[in-house]
Amino acid sequence: MSDEAKRRIFAMLDTDGDDVISHDEYLARVDRAASAFGRGPYDPLVAAARATHEEVFRQMDGDGDGGVTFEEYRAWAGHEAFEETCRPALGSLFDLADGDGDGRVTRGEFARLRAASGNPPEGAAAAFDALDTGGEGTVERAVYLVAIHDFLTTGSSPMAGAYGDGRPGPREPAVR
């Protein structure tokens, strides 16, 4: 995984721009997604998403101090980390967005999922179109996860545009 791709993802996760991803910042992704899709804290899918994200954070936080620096993220991120913990965590967010549980999200669900995940709106429409491989107006869970894996491990993917350019910009405050 290139440092450029890692920096783009790190910047997206560091919502307050202080160069450290806190536990609260990271877990706020689940809260934002649950809220975006009208799911309460006791929804089993929210509990599953929270559990998978807790594990990702535990693994990213190499020194266990409650904050992930870019150096920790750089050392952790890659194919193995994606397969072990990121795929389940990202899949759990997709499941929150998949309103009818059919393994696919619509354009609207995709846009809300991307926003809840902290991605800039620029490029989301192009990413959706690229991932709508059947031309049916939906993105399948497996296609979505492969595209994120490809971006994280190679820096190249239809999802690349949905991650923005990694430069600091306006930030949404973390949901607590």
Side-chain angles (χ1 to χ4, degrees):
M1 178 177 181
S2 74
D3 269 2
E4 179 184 344
K6 288 179 183 180
R7 286 189 191 287
R8 289 170 74 175
I9 299 299
F10 184 87
M12 180 188 68
L13 297 173
D14 178 23
T15 59
D16 65 7
D18 69 352
D19 295 325
V20 176
I21 304 166
S22 72
H23 180 265
D24 288 347
E25 271 176 312
Y26 190 72
L27 271 287
R29 294 168 48 120
V30 174
D31 298 335
R32 287 191 307 265
S35 177
F37 295 100
R39 297 185 181 271
Y42 301 107
D43 183 309
L45 291 176
V46 174
R50 183 165 287 285
T52 61
H53 280 75
E54 287 281 1
E55 180 59 18
V56 170
F57 188 83
R58 186 191 68 72
Q59 289 187 17
M60 284 191 307
D61 186 10
D63 62 8
D65 69 352
V68 178
T69 64
F70 178 71
E71 292 307 317
E72 286 174 300
Y73 182 78
R74 174 193 278 154
W76 170 81
H79 173 76
E80 186 176 314
F82 184 87
E83 292 303 325
E84 185 176 331
T85 57
C86 288
R87 181 180 296 276
L90 293 167
S92 73
L93 293 178
F94 186 96
D95 295 344
L96 292 176
D98 181 6
D100 61 7
D102 68 352
R104 297 178 294 190
V105 294
T106 65
R107 183 177 295 274
E109 290 168 334
F110 181 84
R112 288 196 329 257
L113 173 60
R114 303 302 302 153
S117 296
N119 289 283
E122 300 80 28
F128 181 88
D129 291 342
L131 297 178
D132 180 12
T133 56
E136 299 172 356
T138 60
V139 170
E140 294 179 18
R141 187 182 198 269
V143 170
Y144 177 77
L145 293 173
V146 165
I148 295 173
H149 172 270
D150 290 350
F151 178 75
L152 292 174
T153 58
T154 69
S156 177
S157 162
M159 295 296 287
Y163 286 108
D165 62 11
R167 290 179 293 188
R171 304 225 180 224
E172 177 182 336
V175 176
R176 302 273 192 254

